[in-house]
Amino acid sequence: MKKKLCLLIIFILSTLFNGCAIKKSSQNTNSSISYTEKKGVNSSFNDKSIASSSKNTPKVLKYNDKGIPVIMYHSIKDEKDNPVRVSKESFQAQMKYLKDNNYTALSLDELYEFIENNVPVPEKSVVLTFDDGYKDNYETAYPILKKYGFKATIFVISDYIGKDEYLNASQIKELDKSGIRIESHTVKHEALNALSYNDQLATLKQSKESLQGLLSRQIKYIAYPYGKYNESTIKAAKAAGYSLALTTDGRWSDKSDGIYTLDRVFISGLHNLDTFIYRITTFDYDFNKVVKTEATLESEYSKAYAAFFDHKYKEAIEISDKIIDKDSNFFKAYNIKGISLCFSHNFEEGMKNIDKALNLNPNFGYGRFNKALAYELYGHYDEALLWYDKALEIDNYVWSYYGKASIYGRLGDASNAVKYLKIAIAMQESVKEEAKKEKDFDKVRNNKEFMELMK
């Protein structure tokens, strides 16, 4: 069964497996590829063994005597030597690092409760923010954030909505409903410290009211354009009804900043991954320090992973082969090569490479997941269900549950489809919106339990 892709990052590959000669399992009569593509580029397993599985290790908490890195981005777009544009490849690598190292992305509501009321948060927490409201925040950043299940906040300039390279109203509404919250960045991106108190109050109130009208909810947070503010700005922000405000003053946010002048960590398009890691792991980091490292096999692997994510399967295979030439025991390269081969009509060779990865590291969660994915891709549902379960022994991953639900949906097994979809939705609420559009659930869509779950 050919289906629409549910994520915006994934293109319709309507003819990918026409004429495939691989024998299907007895359950399958129509091959389905789009859902499995979605999962294939939404894998965020770390490479640890079952002993260090994230689902078995409770997160250490911290209180507001410590700080949190509130990361500040602007545009996620490829443009050389532009410090406010972070490339897609770099952003992908940064989010992958956060996921692989068990970071939690907090909402601004959670940051507020942490700073003001000392509500504890996981020790390894960050806040992801984007200033100005560029269209690429929706087109490029959003699919990656959704892939890893990360919350974020975009500060929108209300008078720029729908203009040029900025987000339009429908994009803003979709983002806000999907865990990427929209907050205020004034009406026209004014340098607030250059305005009178009354003019500051006017732009802060007007942008707040415009966004509240669009989203039908309270707007509570503001990021000062250019990071510029004075005592009148703080007074105006309070009077306008904001609960928290962010500057561009560097380093981590903590209670000593003041709730209306919280610091943020700027991540530039000129920063490499090691500099990103340095800034989010070092409370009192040196602003001028750029960590310089030579290319490693891990950085090459990140390129192969990104190529697969972009459907550049040939490129992913070529990069993986170069890694394997340098280190024949680099199991992750075999895994990416294998799943890329499977998406390139070569199931047998693809499976050989995935199996090689699992021979080298039997507890490699992403390898187990890709083996399930490949089986599902080619219609071997019994084997796919088995390997999704094996993947879940390593990582409690939302798309493994969704995969099982999708297969049961195609088989018309409403009870099991609902069972595993409930788990996936509990882990990541946006999954419900995907399921509403997912054709794999057409056979169970009129089931009472399924309809209740979709409300």
Side-chain angles (χ1 to χ4, degrees):
M1 182 193 309
K2 300 279 177 91
K3 309 178 304 176
K4 285 186 178 179
L5 300 179
C6 297
L7 299 178
L8 292 167
I9 54 171
I10 302 173
F11 297 107
I12 297 174
L13 299 180
S14 60
T15 60
L16 183 59
F17 286 97
N18 284 347
C20 239
I22 294 175
K23 184 179 179 181
K24 311 294 183 189
S25 65
S26 59
Q27 311 100 303
N28 184 52
T29 57
N30 295 294
S31 177
S32 174
I33 64 168
S34 59
Y35 158 67
T36 47
E37 279 193 280
K38 172 175 63 186
K39 290 188 301 176
V41 295
N42 278 276
S43 302
S44 54
F45 290 99
N46 58 43
D47 305 325
K48 298 170 186 171
S49 69
I50 192 168
S52 60
S53 171
S54 58
K55 73 174 180 178
N56 295 324
T57 306
K59 291 187 175 182
V60 177
L61 299 178
K62 67 178 175 182
Y63 293 82
N64 69 4
D65 57 332
K66 297 181 180 180
I68 291 176
V70 178
I71 301 172
M72 177 177 63
Y73 293 105
H74 289 77
S75 171
I76 308 301
K77 187 175 183 178
D78 295 343
E79 184 178 320
K80 190 176 180 181
D81 298 327
N82 186 336
V84 299
R85 292 200 193 277
V86 174
S87 72
K88 178 180 179 180
E89 181 180 331
S90 293
F91 184 71
Q92 159 72 20
Q94 290 164 13
M95 296 304 102
K96 185 176 187 299
Y97 173 84
L98 294 177
K99 190 67 175 183
D100 285 352
N101 289 276
N102 296 318
Y103 276 83
T104 298
L106 303 177
S107 67
L108 286 184
D109 288 340
E110 290 168 318
L111 178 66
Y112 177 86
E113 290 297 324
F114 172 76
I115 297 288
E116 285 292 279
N117 299 318
N118 202 23
V119 175
V121 298
E123 178 73 31
K124 297 174 79 172
S125 290
V126 296
V127 179
L128 302 172
T129 68
F130 299 78
D131 282 9
D132 302 338
Y134 291 102
K135 195 182 299 181
D136 57 60
N137 293 176
Y138 177 86
E139 296 168 342
T140 306
Y142 175 41
I144 296 171
L145 292 168
K146 187 156 60 168
K147 167 189 172 189
Y148 291 114
F150 285 155
K151 302 170 188 173
T153 300
I154 301 175
F155 293 102
V156 170
I157 306 163
S158 62
D159 206 39
Y160 291 6
I161 294 173
K163 296 179 180 177
D164 300 324
E165 58 180 339
Y166 296 94
L167 294 165
N168 62 38
S170 63
Q171 291 169 334
I172 284 171
K173 288 179 180 179
E174 181 180 342
L175 287 163
D176 196 65
K177 288 179 180 178
S178 301
I180 314 299
R181 299 295 266 179
I182 303 300
E183 297 293 341
S184 173
H185 204 38
T186 72
V187 176
K188 296 182 183 291
H189 203 262
E190 301 97 326
L192 293 170
N193 65 338
L195 303 179
S196 68
Y197 169 77
N198 287 336
D199 286 343
Q200 290 190 59
L201 181 60
T203 188
L204 292 174
K205 288 181 71 175
Q206 186 179 334
S207 61
K208 188 176 194 289
E209 290 166 0
S210 295
L211 293 172
Q212 286 177 169
L214 178 63
L215 299 172
S216 301
R217 68 166 180 84
Q218 285 293 310
I219 297 297
K220 298 186 287 184
Y221 310 118
I222 176 80
Y224 303 139
Y226 312 105
K228 301 295 186 182
Y229 65 95
N230 54 26
E231 289 301 317
S232 293
T233 311
I234 297 170
K235 181 181 176 183
K238 292 178 181 178
Y242 292 99
S243 303
L244 172 154
L246 294 161
T247 72
T248 59
D249 297 340
R251 302 200 177 98
W252 296 16
S253 292
D254 63 26
K255 188 169 65 172
S256 68
D257 295 339
I259 199 67
Y260 288 96
T261 50
L262 291 175
D263 292 345
R264 284 190 288 174
V265 176
F266 175 53
I267 297 300
S268 164
L270 308 180
H271 291 154
N272 59 22
L273 180 60
D274 293 299
T275 302
F276 170 83
I277 295 169
Y278 168 65
R279 289 192 167 206
I280 68 162
T281 57
T282 309
F283 175 76
D284 196 24
Y285 66 83
D286 180 350
F287 289 107
N288 299 314
K289 182 174 181 178
V290 176
V291 183
K292 297 180 179 180
T293 58
E294 295 181 4
T296 64
L297 291 181
E298 282 291 342
S299 64
E300 291 302 303
Y301 167 72
S302 293
K303 293 178 183 178
Y305 183 93
F308 172 68
F309 180 81
D310 283 339
H311 305 289
K312 299 175 182 176
Y313 304 128
K314 183 178 179 182
E315 182 180 334
I317 293 166
E318 289 173 350
I319 296 171
S320 297
D321 279 336
K322 290 178 182 178
I323 296 171
I324 293 165
D325 285 343
K326 294 177 182 177
D327 182 355
S328 61
N329 292 316
F330 198 93
F331 58 91
K332 291 185 285 186
Y334 291 103
N335 182 52
I336 285 294
K337 178 181 178 181
I339 195 62
S340 297
L341 284 165
C342 287
F343 276 98
S344 303
H345 310 278
N346 197 338
F347 177 78
E348 291 185 4
E349 284 301 313
M351 273 299 195
K352 285 180 183 177
N353 278 272
I354 294 171
D355 284 340
K356 176 69 174 178
L358 290 171
N359 286 336
L360 290 167
N361 184 353
N363 291 323
F364 182 31
Y366 187 21
R368 293 186 181 196
F369 175 85
N370 273 345
K371 187 159 184 174
L373 177 63
Y375 274 133
E376 183 182 355
L377 182 66
Y378 284 83
H380 300 287
Y381 295 153
D382 287 339
E383 295 90 339
L385 289 168
L386 172 66
W387 279 95
Y388 280 134
D389 283 336
K390 287 180 179 291
L392 286 166
E393 292 173 3
I394 306 297
D395 288 275
N396 201 31
Y397 183 51
V398 60
W399 293 107
S400 293
Y401 291 110
Y402 192 97
K404 295 187 70 173
S406 178
I407 290 172
Y408 284 121
R410 268 177 266 154
L411 297 174
D413 184 341
S415 178
N416 276 315
V418 169
K419 174 183 176 181
Y420 292 107
L421 194 54
K422 276 184 179 178
I423 299 172
I425 292 170
M427 294 174 68
Q428 187 173 317
E429 191 174 349
S430 61
V431 165
K432 182 185 289 188
E433 296 306 311
E434 303 299 334
K436 288 178 180 179
K437 300 175 286 185
E438 182 66 71
K439 289 188 177 181
D440 282 351
F441 297 114
D442 284 353
K443 288 185 178 181
V444 300
R445 201 165 297 282
N446 294 325
N447 174 269
K448 185 178 179 180
E449 273 192 285
F450 186 87
M451 289 191 290
E452 188 67 27
L453 183 61
M454 291 297 102
K455 288 183 180 178

